[in-house]
């Protein structure tokens, strides 16, 4: 019987490996061309991987949680009896399969699109999938939760129905802590179990035994094994990128407090006049940043260390720092300077929603030239953020709160925020950085100045 081995393809942007999150097929299943066979997590996104071959699955190379290098076997599929690719007939291989192998050798992302779509699909037979119960992770205190039972369907609820779980990250987190998802009540829409639900259950189970056993003043300190969390996937990518930024970039942070009352009033006027296209504060801040970068293009740049040169980008590819369940990501709005304020608001809403749901393509997470970071959503005033390598600058915005402020010589309560600019001292000196930050601050305090600058 003829067999085809599907190698893990390059999933884009030169990624070298991917972690298996969940197999969608089992050995013995019949698959068709373009059928999704596995869900993997790269350093940038969770991706469904389709198989370009049809036939019966004879081998799965790797288990859930295992990291597979690009170009290594992922799944082996055998042709069905009577298939044109079966043994002994000497029939030519479908053209799509040869095309796939050439694309694969070239490292093309096109391997995610199946070939040979005219190939007659085989019947698909699904076998019941059983829960895989990993060895429990030993934390510093016992986790008083019931693990899933081997040989039974994964996470069957008390009413006999499976719990609503959408995110593979939530499933993996539950497995790592030996947590039965059927015991949880989801806080998401329609009862969907979210990451916060799993983390809360783990925290409750971990802290309960500690509260039940009083500490003895004369007794030994509690002992136990540390929780070891592998540095993989997006967490590893974040660690590598931030470490490189700190190693290579001589960064400086400057900041200023500003009265944002006028900006909030301007937003209210815009949204009252055009309720069908509301704009956010983040969109207005993005517009102000674009105005500042037009005046100070030195900050819309990167340093080419090998070529010993500074490259100023012709367009502003605006990165927006977004916190997600998988970690911090920076999706990019390419050529943001071409967008109107309303377009910016719509693009920001769509992009941040897609980032948090994990549906952004890997290409949307690279290529930025300047980053806007609204860390005020975490309830903090200031920060000294690390530059998103290889960019040269990042503007941070703190929370907007009521504070006493002097207006025309009189003390008043105003909406005040702190702006911080972290910049690469190799691309400019303090005069340029201070000029940019002052321009942004002036536009926040007096939005009418923005109109004069655009």
């Amino acid at each position: 019987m003829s067999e085809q081995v599907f190698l893990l393809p390059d999933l884009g942007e030169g990624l070298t490996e991917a972690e298996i999150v969940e197999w969608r097929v089992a050995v013995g299943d019949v698959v068709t061309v373009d059928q999704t066979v596995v869900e993997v997590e790269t350093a940038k996104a969770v991706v469904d991987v389709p198989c370009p071959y049809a036939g019966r699955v004879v081998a799965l190379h790797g288990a859930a949680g295992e990291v597979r290098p690009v170009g290594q076997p992922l799944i082996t599929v055998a042709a069905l009896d009577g298939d044109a690719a079966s043994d002994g007939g000497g029939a030519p291989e479908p053209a799509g399969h040869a095309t796939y192998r050439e694309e694969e050798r070239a490292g093309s992302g096109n391997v995610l699109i199946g070939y040979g779509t005219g190939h007659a699909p085989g019947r698909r037979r699904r076998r019941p999938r059983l829960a895989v119960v990993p060895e429990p992770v030993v934390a510093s205190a016992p986790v008083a939760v019931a693990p899933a039972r081997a040989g039974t369907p994964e996470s069957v609820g008390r009413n006999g129905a499976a719990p609503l779980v959408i995110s593979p990250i939530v499933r993996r987190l539950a497995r790592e802590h030996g947590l039965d998802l059927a015991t949880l009540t989801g806080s998401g829409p329609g009862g969907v179990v979210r990451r916060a639900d799993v983390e809360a259950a783990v925290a409750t189970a971990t802290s309960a035994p500690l509260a039940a056993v009083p500490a003895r003043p004369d007794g030994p300190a509690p002992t136990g094994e540390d929780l070891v969390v592998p540095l993989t996937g997006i967490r590893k990518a974040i660690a590598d990128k931030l470490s490189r930024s700190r190693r290579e970039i001589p960064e400086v942070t400057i900041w200023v407090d500003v009265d944002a009352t006028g900006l909030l009033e301007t937003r209210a006027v815009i949204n009252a006049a055009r309720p069908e296209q509301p704009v956010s504060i983040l969109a207005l801040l993005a517009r102000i940043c674009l105005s500042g970068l037009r005046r100070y293009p030195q900050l819309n740049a990167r340093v080419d260390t090998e070529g010993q040169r500074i490259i100023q980008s012709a367009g502003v590819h605006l990165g927006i720092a977004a916190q997600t369940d998988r970690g911090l990501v920076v999706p990019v709005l390419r050529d943001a300077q071409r967008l109107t304020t309303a377009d910016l608001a719509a693009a920001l809403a769509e992009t941040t929603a897609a980032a948090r749901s994990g549906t952004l393509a890997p290409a949307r997470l690279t290529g930025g030239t300047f980053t806007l970071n609204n860390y005020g959503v975490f309830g903090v005033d200031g920060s000294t953020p690390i530059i998103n390598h290889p960019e040269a600058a990042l503007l941070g915005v703190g929370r907007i709160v009521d504070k006493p402020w002097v207006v025309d010589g009189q003390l008043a309560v105003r909406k005040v925020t702190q702006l911080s600019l972290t910049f690469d001292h190799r691309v400019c000196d303090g005069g340029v950085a201070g000029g940019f930050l002052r321009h942004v601050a002036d536009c926040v305090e007096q939005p009418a100045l923005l109109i004069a600058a655009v």
Side-chain angles (χ1 to χ4, degrees), residues 169-363:
I169 306 302
V170 171
R171 288 194 181 95
R172 186 175 66 182
L173 186 62
R175 287 197 302 268
E176 289 175 352
H177 291 279
L179 182 64
D180 186 357
L181 289 169
T183 64
L184 302 184
T185 301
S187 63
V192 172
V193 178
R194 304 171 63 185
R195 179 173 183 170
D197 301 325
V198 175
E199 292 175 341
V202 172
T204 300
T206 301
S207 60
L210 296 179
V213 181
R216 292 180 298 170
D218 57 344
T223 60
E225 296 185 29
D226 294 339
L227 172 64
V228 178
V229 180
L231 198 60
T232 60
I234 192 171
R235 197 72 253 164
K236 182 176 183 297
I238 293 172
D240 292 343
K241 194 162 192 176
L242 296 182
S243 297
R244 183 179 181 184
S245 179
R246 272 291 165 90
R247 286 195 306 269
E248 294 186 7
I249 299 178
E251 60 188 21
V252 180
T253 299
I254 56 177
W255 58 90
V256 63
D257 290 339
V258 297
D259 178 3
T261 306
L263 187 68
L264 294 175
E265 292 173 347
T266 299
R267 179 201 178 208
V269 171
I270 294 174
N271 290 344
R274 304 177 64 179
E276 73 283 358
Q277 289 183 303
V279 299
S280 62
I281 289 296
L282 189 63
L284 294 178
L285 290 169
R287 171 58 60 204
I288 293 172
C289 282
L290 294 170
S291 171
L293 292 173
R294 181 180 180 183
R295 180 173 295 191
Y296 298 97
Q298 299 93 323
L299 295 171
N300 190 47
R302 61 184 174 87
V303 175
D304 177 7
T305 53
E306 293 184 1
Q308 290 295 297
R309 57 184 180 170
I310 297 172
I311 301 174
Q312 291 185 14
S313 178
V316 180
H317 309 314
L318 186 64
I320 303 297
Q323 187 68 43
T324 72
D325 286 345
R326 299 177 59 241
L328 178 67
V329 297
V330 186
V332 176
L333 305 183
R334 297 193 64 83
D335 292 312
Q337 79 281 359
R338 298 180 180 178
L339 302 177
T340 66
T341 303
D343 291 338
L344 274 173
L348 286 169
E350 178 271 330
T351 300
T352 53
R356 293 190 176 105
S357 65
T359 58
L360 277 179

Side-chain angles (χ1 to χ4, degrees), residues 391-405:
E391 298 171 17
L394 178 152
L395 181 75
V397 184
R399 60 176 180 162
I400 301 176
V401 294
D402 290 340
K403 286 187 177 181
W405 198 262

